[in-house]
Amino acid sequence: MTTLPDSAGSASLDPSEVMSSTLLERLKSLHPQSIDLSLGRIEALLSRLGNPQDKLPPVVHIAGTNGKGSTLAFVRAIAEALGKGVHVYTSPHLVDFHERIVLAGPHGAAPISEDLLVDCLERTEAANAGALITLFEITTAAGFLAFAEAPADLLLLETGLGGRLDATNMVKKPALTIITPISIDHVSFLGETLTEIAGEKAGILKPGVPCIVGRQEADALAVIEARAAEVGAPLHVAGRDFDTYEQQGRLLFQTTSRLLDLPLPRLAGRHQIGNAGVAIAAASVIFGDALTQGALEGGVTSARWPARLERLSVGALHAYASEGTEIWLDGGHNEAGGQAVANTLAELDERVPRPVHVVWGMMETKDATRFIAPFKGLVEHIYTVPIPGEPNAFDPAPLADAARSEGFDAVPVSSVHEALLRSASGGEAARVLICGSLYLAGHVLKLHTV
């Protein structure tokens, strides 16, 4: 038995803003505090619902540790630039629970309406008939209902945790699978080694279904290749079958038979070049000869994924910062995510040097020391903050201790507002990065739009 983490649908993922309190309480009562990860509950529930997972538009199923959301955003933008209707399923949400289920429509894709979300959840709850079920599982089943009943050309389906035993893995025959770079994360649930985690992620591979594989450590790739050979899944591997790189301010995508010259991605960070490459490879398989240069250019330059190295436009939080201060937001929460953000900070500093201050909050299930270590030599001050409404978040004091143990100047504070005020006390325009958790990122986005 193991406790389910937040990213897979814990009670902290509170949809109270979008559904009646009565329904919410009923759903929470069905959510077990400790469960064994398996597909038995979701399989039984979907069967009682008429197996909506078998009636979906063509599915692109996405697993991985880092870059899932950004890769999904690129694929979505490319597909929509081709005029395709795209459904999207992601987790967790940042601000509103609706964000998890996005439906294609005649005027473009949009988060599910409150009325339809409540309707799908109530029908799912009725079919579940009081059995124990996680919030993520019942939300996934409700999402399958909504996706099956609304027309679309494509469904982009992101795993919540792992892959092999993830509720989204009930789709038997996706059109394509994607495995983005794998690193150490969720060790209590997926395993303590890279090979164990890769085995869980590779569980989304299906017989005859091609898979686009982002750049991997050798051990992880070996596991993916072994699983692909076992089930008969063709692989398209970054660094072997295709490559993506920057040259003279352009993004080049190359295979043995073609070379594409495209604009750089809109999303910040050199790591987004690799994510865009995976998305281009995926779009090439999905759309074939229908894929156009214009759609690729439009896709890589219009893709948006909030709280992934997002520079916040001037808003409520800037009132607490010095004039001219940049505020950046990122939800990365593991060692690889920290390294990617640190690399981008270094690139920004090369172009426009500024003092860097970090506002840092994190969940206790994450390795704080490994996350913050890559920032050495880049950061002047760290202010550690709580994450409101998250009982499993680090208290600011021990988080500051972890930063100080790595040689940082770190101070625990009571809120993001206090952190920004302290950052501004020196009077200079700084580059402020708020980071460490998607739950902190969601809190910040709410504060910024007040």
Side-chain angles (χ1 to χ4, degrees), residues 12-174:
S12 65
L13 302 183
D14 186 347
S16 58
E17 293 179 2
V18 299
M19 65 185 72
S20 73
S21 59
T22 301
L23 176 59
L24 174 62
E25 290 308 313
R26 289 204 302 268
L27 291 175
K28 281 185 174 181
S29 72
L30 300 177
H31 175 63
Q33 296 304 305
S34 295
I35 65 166
D36 56 327
L37 295 176
S38 72
L39 295 178
R41 293 176 303 275
I42 186 73
E43 183 175 22
L45 174 56
L46 290 172
S47 177
R48 290 192 290 270
L49 287 168
N51 290 311
Q53 79 279 8
D54 297 334
K55 304 167 188 175
L56 301 171
V59 171
V60 176
H61 197 193
I62 306 174
T65 306
N66 296 291
K68 286 185 299 181
S70 298
T71 300
L72 181 152
F74 283 121
V75 176
R76 174 183 174 180
I78 293 168
E80 290 180 336
L82 279 173
K84 304 298 183 181
V86 184
H87 292 332
V88 179
Y89 186 69
T90 58
S91 63
H93 61 281
L94 289 173
V95 178
D96 294 318
F97 197 79
H98 305 69
E99 296 169 24
R100 295 170 176 238
I101 301 172
V102 173
L103 298 176
H107 304 294
I112 190 171
S113 69
E114 180 172 347
D115 288 345
L116 182 55
L117 176 58
V118 171
D119 174 68
C120 289
L121 285 170
E122 286 181 336
R123 289 157 57 195
T124 305
E125 182 201 11
N128 191 59
L132 286 178
I133 194 87
T134 70
L135 186 56
F136 182 76
E137 288 166 339
I138 205 164
T139 302
T140 301
F144 284 158
L145 275 181
F147 296 136
E149 294 171 359
D153 299 300
L154 199 64
L155 165 58
L156 304 179
L157 185 66
E158 182 189 47
T159 58
L161 179 67
R164 182 175 65 93
L165 297 176
D166 190 79
T168 61
N169 206 28
M170 290 303 299
V171 176
K172 298 183 182 69
K173 191 74 173 179

Side-chain angles (χ1 to χ4, degrees), residues 201-218:
K201 307 288 186 182
I204 70 167
L205 296 176
K206 303 293 188 301
V209 176
C211 178
I212 310 298
V213 183
R215 285 192 178 274
Q216 307 290 344
E217 298 288 342

Side-chain angles (χ1 to χ4, degrees), residues 44 157 167 336 372 414:
L157 185 66
I372 204 64
S414 62

Side-chain angles (χ1 to χ4, degrees), residues 265-272 308-311 328 344 348:
R266 170 183 175 177
L267 297 178
R270 190 172 298 274
H271 57 288
Q272 295 295 0
R308 276 71 171 184
L309 268 177
E310 176 185 9
R311 182 175 175 180
W328 293 76
T344 303
L348 290 171

